[in-house]
Amino acid sequence: MERDIDDILRELVRSSDKVFVSSDPEEPFILVDRGSDGLAFVAPSPGESFRVTSITLSMVASLEMVLQESLGGYVDRDAIITIGCGDLDSFYAHSWDIRRRGRKLYYGYEKTHYLLLISRIYWCIESWGHASLVLRSFTRRYDRRTGLPVKQVRGFLLKRSGGGLKLERVPLEELIWANTTDPETGERLPPEPSVEYCYEQECVSSDEIP
């Protein structure tokens, strides 16, 4: 198996423009930028020692279009997106800052951050059949009680549909439950202050949740 991994990596590196290796032992991965041939993402996957996820440029463009069209209307200035997938025994989650510049959204602060976001989303879809997305958008309003900016939280489920991708919005009740329930014990958690949970433009303030 180790020899197989080495052979695959040598082949990928030979045809690469850039190679990024994680320095975090808690999140090992190798991300290979293959230029016009797209990306190759190597990371541990459930039931396997590793998985190689190949991502073509057309796949990158398709995902970029889905994210811009689906999330752009909810981001007025800055936001945070969290990608998650897995189960209680093997759950992956990571967050990226989002900045709006004109009509376009930018993820992270350098190209590597964006490439990792794209790679992790497709890795989740290949490994688990879907990727969960939680968008936290900062509004220009401030909570009078806490003095903090009011954040709007929305949930999405991204999966393959035919030859493309389909982004489903998480219903409001499910979103509130997921954010106020301990997944391991099932016990209720206090709602996060200065937050509105939203489905499209329908929002419920965390202050209204008992």
Side-chain angles (χ1 to χ4, degrees), residues 38-51:
L39 306 171
F41 185 68
V42 184
S45 194
E48 304 174 278
S49 59
F50 75 100
R51 174 187 290 271

Side-chain angles (χ1 to χ4, degrees), residues 3-207:
R3 186 174 58 187
D4 293 339
I5 296 175
D6 290 342
D7 290 344
I8 291 172
L9 289 177
R10 277 194 292 268
E11 180 180 347
L12 291 174
V13 169
R14 276 199 300 269
S15 60
S16 69
D17 282 2
K18 293 182 179 180
V19 178
F20 308 97
V21 180
S22 170
S23 59
D24 184 355
E26 298 296 321
E27 189 183 347
F29 68 81
I30 298 174
L31 173 56
V32 182
D33 183 351
R34 306 176 69 192
S36 60
D37 290 328
L39 306 171
F41 185 68
V42 184
S45 194
E48 304 174 278
S49 59
F50 75 100
R51 174 187 290 271
V52 179
T53 304
S54 297
I55 305 164
T56 65
L57 293 185
S58 63
M59 292 168 66
V60 174
S62 176
L63 179 53
E64 170 73 12
M65 183 180 299
V66 169
L67 293 177
Q68 292 286 339
E69 291 181 352
S70 302
L71 307 183
Y74 303 127
V75 180
D76 183 39
R77 44 175 187 165
D78 298 327
I80 299 172
I81 188 169
T82 301
I83 308 299
C85 58
D87 53 29
L88 289 178
D89 296 326
S90 178
F91 189 79
Y92 168 81
H94 195 94
S95 297
W96 287 259
D97 289 342
I98 299 178
R99 298 163 296 139
R100 172 179 285 282
R101 296 293 181 266
R103 300 178 61 183
K104 186 174 175 60
L105 301 181
Y106 292 87
Y107 307 89
Y109 299 97
E110 55 187 58
K111 182 180 179 182
T112 311
H113 298 161
Y114 172 70
L115 296 180
L116 180 59
L117 170 74
I118 297 294
S119 300
R120 276 300 187 186
I121 289 177
Y122 276 114
W123 175 85
C124 280
I125 293 174
E126 293 292 334
S127 300
W128 297 97
H130 70 275
S132 300
L133 284 64
V134 177
L135 179 69
R136 295 174 174 270
S137 308
F138 291 87
T139 71
R140 298 183 184 274
R141 295 178 284 117
Y142 285 83
D143 188 322
R144 293 180 180 178
R145 183 168 58 86
T146 65
L148 298 173
V150 174
K151 298 186 293 291
Q152 292 188 337
V153 177
R154 293 176 172 86
F156 305 87
L157 200 64
L158 183 63
K159 57 180 68 174
R160 291 193 185 278
S161 178
L165 297 169
K166 181 180 181 181
L167 192 71
E168 301 176 352
R169 292 170 175 81
V170 176
L172 191 54
E173 290 184 2
E174 293 183 19
L175 180 66
I176 293 174
W177 182 89
N179 283 271
T180 58
T181 305
D182 188 312
E184 294 185 2
T185 66
E187 296 181 359
R188 289 295 302 275
L189 301 172
E192 184 180 348
S194 309
V195 160
E196 294 175 346
Y197 300 102
C198 303
Y199 179 86
E200 295 188 344
Q201 300 303 327
E202 177 187 359
C203 299
V204 174
S205 171
S206 57
D207 292 338

